Amino acid sequence: MQKGQIRVQTENIFPIIKKFLYSDHEIFLRELVSNAIDATQKLKTLSSIGEAKGELGELRIDVVLDAKEKTLSIIDRGVGMSAGEVDKYINQVAFSSAEDFLSKYKDASIIGHFGLGFYSGFMVSDKVDIITKSFTDAKPVYWSCDGNPEFELYEIEEAERGTRIVLHINEESKEFLESYRIKAMLEKFCRFLPVPIFFKEAASEDEPKQINNTNPIWVKKPAELTTQDYQDFYKELYPYGETPLF
């Protein structure tokens, strides 16, 4: 009898991620926004038990499309990461920070579990950058990888608390540089997530627009709801539908 550990050849993991991680490539946006939600919910939990000090400020997620630079950025103001945490949770495939957090704090608001969601970004990107600053006193760090096993990781001087993921969209995935496409995906996957999500085009002077309803009717008590509340919610789900019979 032989026992041992299954070995993963790192040179082969990225082709698998790019082609086979998910059959539907638009899932990458759901995964990265879910990670940003988790980072924000973690900060709320840590603040509530006194482990995160100071003012939290406005907790929101921004999705910024820059078609000229061919980038899509997902930005949160959550817990952020230190260099050690980036090395632990990003440089080790399928090692989940959410799983660690769940086991320690038993927080039911955390979405992710398996640690693969971040790597879905490589399905549509030539390169992925991370700029992140922990809520602790750790130095901000920059991480970058172009879809090969090699990566860059070093400390930087300035960054806001939280994490910015920058996807450098590849030629095969240029559909994800269309604003209508990103907006439709956000509305499809993120409509009722609990942290405000804003979408903005870098070239536009318009204010970012909030995509989601963070307070849907199912989080309220039935006794508080009126017939109009139910009808408004139905219209939110089916804006072109007829008024419901019941």
Side-chain angles (χ1 to χ4, degrees), residues 137-156:
D137 293 331
K139 276 269 194 181
V141 295
Y142 170 86
W143 179 97
S144 183
C145 178
D146 63 1
N148 292 304
E150 293 81 23
F151 62 85
E152 292 182 321
L153 174 62
Y154 51 84
E155 292 182 350
I156 56 178

Side-chain angles (χ1 to χ4, degrees), residues 30-130:
R30 183 195 71 185
E31 294 295 320
L32 294 176
V33 171
S34 293
N35 285 353
I37 294 283
D38 282 350
T40 306
Q41 300 292 60
K42 288 176 189 177
L43 185 66
K44 290 180 181 179
T45 296
L46 294 172
S47 177
S48 70
I49 60 177
E51 289 194 24
K53 308 295 184 183
E55 291 295 319
L56 298 185
E58 183 183 9
L59 296 180
R60 58 185 272 176
I61 293 161
D62 287 274
V63 177
V64 181
L65 175 65
D66 191 332
K68 183 179 179 182
E69 295 297 322
K70 298 181 180 179
T71 63
L72 182 66
S73 301
I74 296 89
I75 307 157
D76 69 65
R77 299 194 69 250
V79 287
M81 291 180 285
S82 64
E85 287 169 327
V86 170
D87 191 50
K88 182 177 181 180
Y89 298 125
I90 300 297
N91 294 338
Q92 297 186 70
V93 177
F95 198 102
S96 172
S97 62
E99 200 73 27
D100 270 8
F101 196 87
L102 278 167
S103 63
K104 184 174 182 180
Y105 296 103
K106 313 299 181 189
D107 189 344
S109 68
I110 301 301
I111 301 169
H113 287 268
F114 300 112
L116 281 171
F118 165 74
Y119 281 91
S120 65
F122 284 98
M123 296 190 303
V124 299
S125 306
D126 284 325
K127 185 174 77 157
V128 178
D129 303 326
I130 302 174

Side-chain angles (χ1 to χ4, degrees), residues 1-245:
M1 184 178 71
Q2 181 178 350
K3 288 187 176 181
Q5 291 186 326
I6 295 173
R7 295 179 295 277
V8 177
Q9 286 292 110
T10 52
E11 306 89 64
N12 298 331
I13 194 68
F14 280 101
I16 293 170
I17 287 169
K18 288 183 176 183
K19 292 184 182 297
F20 306 117
L21 181 59
Y22 298 104
S23 59
D24 186 353
H25 280 196
E26 70 178 22
I27 294 298
F28 80 90
L29 189 57
R30 183 195 71 185
E31 294 295 320
L32 294 176
V33 171
S34 293
N35 285 353
I37 294 283
D38 282 350
T40 306
Q41 300 292 60
K42 288 176 189 177
L43 185 66
K44 290 180 181 179
T45 296
L46 294 172
S47 177
S48 70
I49 60 177
E51 289 194 24
K53 308 295 184 183
E55 291 295 319
L56 298 185
E58 183 183 9
L59 296 180
R60 58 185 272 176
I61 293 161
D62 287 274
V63 177
V64 181
L65 175 65
D66 191 332
K68 183 179 179 182
E69 295 297 322
K70 298 181 180 179
T71 63
L72 182 66
S73 301
I74 296 89
I75 307 157
D76 69 65
R77 299 194 69 250
V79 287
M81 291 180 285
S82 64
E85 287 169 327
V86 170
D87 191 50
K88 182 177 181 180
Y89 298 125
I90 300 297
N91 294 338
Q92 297 186 70
V93 177
F95 198 102
S96 172
S97 62
E99 200 73 27
D100 270 8
F101 196 87
L102 278 167
S103 63
K104 184 174 182 180
Y105 296 103
K106 313 299 181 189
D107 189 344
S109 68
I110 301 301
I111 301 169
H113 287 268
F114 300 112
L116 281 171
F118 165 74
Y119 281 91
S120 65
F122 284 98
M123 296 190 303
V124 299
S125 306
D126 284 325
K127 185 174 77 157
V128 178
D129 303 326
I130 302 174
I131 299 94
T132 185
K133 183 180 188 301
S134 172
F135 72 98
T136 66
D137 293 331
K139 276 269 194 181
V141 295
Y142 170 86
W143 179 97
S144 183
C145 178
D146 63 1
N148 292 304
E150 293 81 23
F151 62 85
E152 292 182 321
L153 174 62
Y154 51 84
E155 292 182 350
I156 56 178
E157 285 303 316
E158 293 185 25
E160 291 186 345
R161 184 199 69 221
T163 299
R164 175 191 293 261
I165 307 288
V166 183
L167 306 178
H168 298 262
I169 303 297
N170 61 37
E171 184 63 26
E172 298 78 31
S173 305
K174 59 185 179 182
E175 65 183 283
F176 299 118
L177 294 173
E178 299 286 349
S179 61
Y180 76 89
R181 186 82 163 90
I182 298 302
K183 188 171 183 292
M185 289 160 60
L186 288 170
E187 290 174 346
K188 177 180 178 181
F189 294 125
C190 309
R191 186 180 289 184
F192 300 112
L193 289 178
V195 177
I197 300 166
F198 291 83
F199 174 58
K200 178 176 173 58
E201 292 180 75
S204 173
E205 295 182 1
D206 295 338
E207 286 296 309
K209 293 182 180 178
Q210 185 169 335
I211 293 293
N212 57 328
N213 175 1
T214 60
N215 193 33
I217 64 173
W218 63 76
V219 303
K220 304 172 185 176
K221 296 178 180 178
E224 298 174 352
L225 298 171
T226 66
T227 300
Q228 188 63 48
D229 289 326
Y230 285 107
Q231 290 180 351
D232 289 345
F233 182 66
Y234 185 88
K235 288 177 183 177
E236 190 174 352
L237 289 175
Y238 309 106
Y240 303 110
E242 299 290 332
T243 302
L245 296 175

